[in-house]
Amino acid sequence: MKTITFHGEDALPAIGQGTWYMGENAALRNQEVTALQAGLDLGLKVIDTAEMYAEGGAEQIVGEALRGRRDQAWLVSKVYPWNAGEMDAVEACERSLRRLQTDYLDLYLLHWRGDVPLEETIRAMESLQQQGKIRHWGVSNFDRDDMLELWNEPGGNACLTNQVLYHLASRGIEYDLLPESQQRAMPIMAYCPLAQAGRLRQSLFEDAKLQQIAQQKGISVAQLMLAWVIRQQGVLAIPKASSIAHVQQNAAALNIQLNNDELAIIDRAFPAPQHKTALDVV
Ligand code: NDP
């Protein structure tokens, strides 16, 4: 099984569970809770959520899924950039903890860079750590220049991870952000590993080359896409799935290996970047 290790932590399965769009529709609540619990049963420990998702609704779903089994999860939430100031971050984190029915997060991320100076957000994260409300902190949607600035701030090296968009049709991070992060032994969390954005995902799922490889391996294109994302050292994928069938497939992708021939076919169809491009975001 493919794993990743955040600095100072035990190894974690390299596929976790996303929660964007959960908590939006009351009729789907039970299904979403059950899907997350099925993922935990299959060892998908990392659960990623945010105060933004359904304005707290997704955190409530996660809280319900974790009732009585908080210790089985490695829980991540995110703070809005405008809540990332020294006082606001503590209050935002406390609201998240209440919705999640827990007293600590394993990881708290700045969702994207806003107007609050990085230095102030680092102080806020350090203060939350001292209070035992978060174990680690990190960032999201930071390109290489933002990371260099962060690493140069006092305390900035404690950033555990950067959560960014990454899938086989969006490989920009391979040019500089990913190698730089790997060199510093800082794992990346890959969001939208299944290219969530509607039409794009459908066209990838219907891509003849991907279908052919998947068929030969007896897997789905979604599993192929996940195995491809986690093929790299230090990359964790957090697909969101609200059906048990999808969760089972995603967990099984932890054990799928792609050989050099398969990787070469994918490289030809979805080439690696040859120059710098702006970080892709949703
Ligand atoms: P994903 O690329 O994970 O795609 C999710 C979609 O894929 C859902 O429609 C889901 O369907 C479907 N799906 C899941 N598993 C399978 C499968 N095995 N076969 C076929 N379809 C499948 O997109 P997300 O945008 O949700 O990204 C993942 C997570 O990353 C988010 O949920 C969120 O936690 C995080 N994220 C972070 C961002 C940031 O700015 N930091 C931005 C965007 C996402 P169904 O639900 O029906 O199972």
Side-chain angles (χ1 to χ4, degrees):
M1 179 179 71
K2 189 82 197 285
T3 59
I4 68 145
T5 309
F6 289 110
H7 182 72
E9 289 287 290
D10 292 339
L12 290 163
I15 292 178
Q17 304 188 80
T19 63
W20 194 17
Y21 290 115
M22 287 190 182
E24 304 234 341
N25 180 345
L28 295 177
R29 192 178 182 90
N30 286 344
Q31 187 189 325
E32 290 165 350
V33 169
T34 309
L36 287 172
Q37 289 173 333
L40 282 174
D41 291 341
L42 291 165
L44 302 184
K45 281 192 83 160
V46 176
I47 297 186
D48 177 81
T49 189
E51 63 173 331
M52 183 187 109
Y53 303 158
E55 285 302 326
E59 289 181 326
Q60 288 175 340
I61 297 281
V62 175
E64 209 171 315
L66 290 184
R67 211 174 284 156
R69 56 191 308 190
R70 166 68 184 90
D71 56 336
Q72 292 168 27
W74 203 85
L75 184 55
V76 185
S77 193
K78 310 186 201 77
V79 61
Y80 274 127
W82 49 89
N83 284 342
E86 211 151 350
M87 295 308 293
D88 292 342
V90 174
E91 286 170 16
C93 184
E94 284 170 348
R95 286 193 296 272
S96 287
L97 292 174
R98 274 196 295 278
R99 288 187 290 258
L100 288 159
Q101 303 180 46
T102 184
D103 51 7
Y104 73 97
L105 296 173
D106 293 285
L107 177 62
Y108 200 32
L109 303 177
L110 170 61
H111 207 147
W112 65 91
R113 193 168 177 183
D115 296 333
V116 175
L118 292 178
E119 185 194 352
E120 190 181 333
T121 298
I122 295 172
R123 297 290 86 77
M125 294 295 191
E126 287 171 343
S127 134
L128 284 165
Q129 277 179 309
Q130 278 151 19
Q131 295 169 39
K133 290 177 177 142
I134 65 172
R135 295 182 57 238
H136 304 281
W137 64 268
V139 294
S140 177
N141 296 302
F142 271 42
D143 207 344
R144 180 169 176 268
D145 286 350
D146 299 306
M147 286 311 300
L148 293 177
E149 221 180 301
L150 179 71
W151 284 320
N152 273 330
E153 290 286 346
N157 278 322
C159 174
L160 198 74
T161 189
N162 181 15
Q163 185 177 113
V164 288
L165 187 151
Y166 184 49
H167 56 73
L168 54 70
S170 179
R171 300 181 62 169
I173 66 164
E174 288 177 35
Y175 187 75
D176 57 356
L177 181 62
L178 184 59
E180 179 86 42
S181 308
Q182 286 168 329
Q183 211 180 324
R184 292 173 185 255
M186 187 195 79
I188 288 283
M189 289 180 82
Y191 75 69
C192 295
L194 298 171
Q196 178 254 138
R199 280 214 308 273
L200 173 58
R201 186 186 50 170
Q202 207 46 43
S203 69
L204 290 174
F205 281 9
E206 286 165 8
D207 181 89
K209 293 204 173 64
L210 296 180
Q211 280 190 341
Q212 195 184 355
I213 301 174
Q215 209 171 5
Q216 279 162 0
K217 295 179 86 67
I219 61 176
S220 68
V221 172
Q223 288 178 304
L224 176 62
M225 289 176 72
L226 292 179
W228 181 88
V229 166
I230 62 168
R231 80 204 182 284
Q232 298 258 14
Q233 199 49 41
V235 180
L236 169 102
I238 45 166
K240 173 258 181 184
S242 42
S243 80
I244 292 186
H246 283 168
V247 170
Q248 285 169 340
Q249 274 195 23
N250 299 350
L254 281 166
N255 294 310
I256 296 171
Q257 299 285 341
L258 303 179
N259 65 34
N260 289 339
D261 291 344
E262 291 158 349
L263 290 172
I265 296 170
I266 294 173
D267 276 344
R268 279 195 294 277
F270 303 95
Q274 300 302 314
H275 54 85
K276 174 72 185 161
T277 49
L279 183 66
D280 213 355
V281 294
V282 281

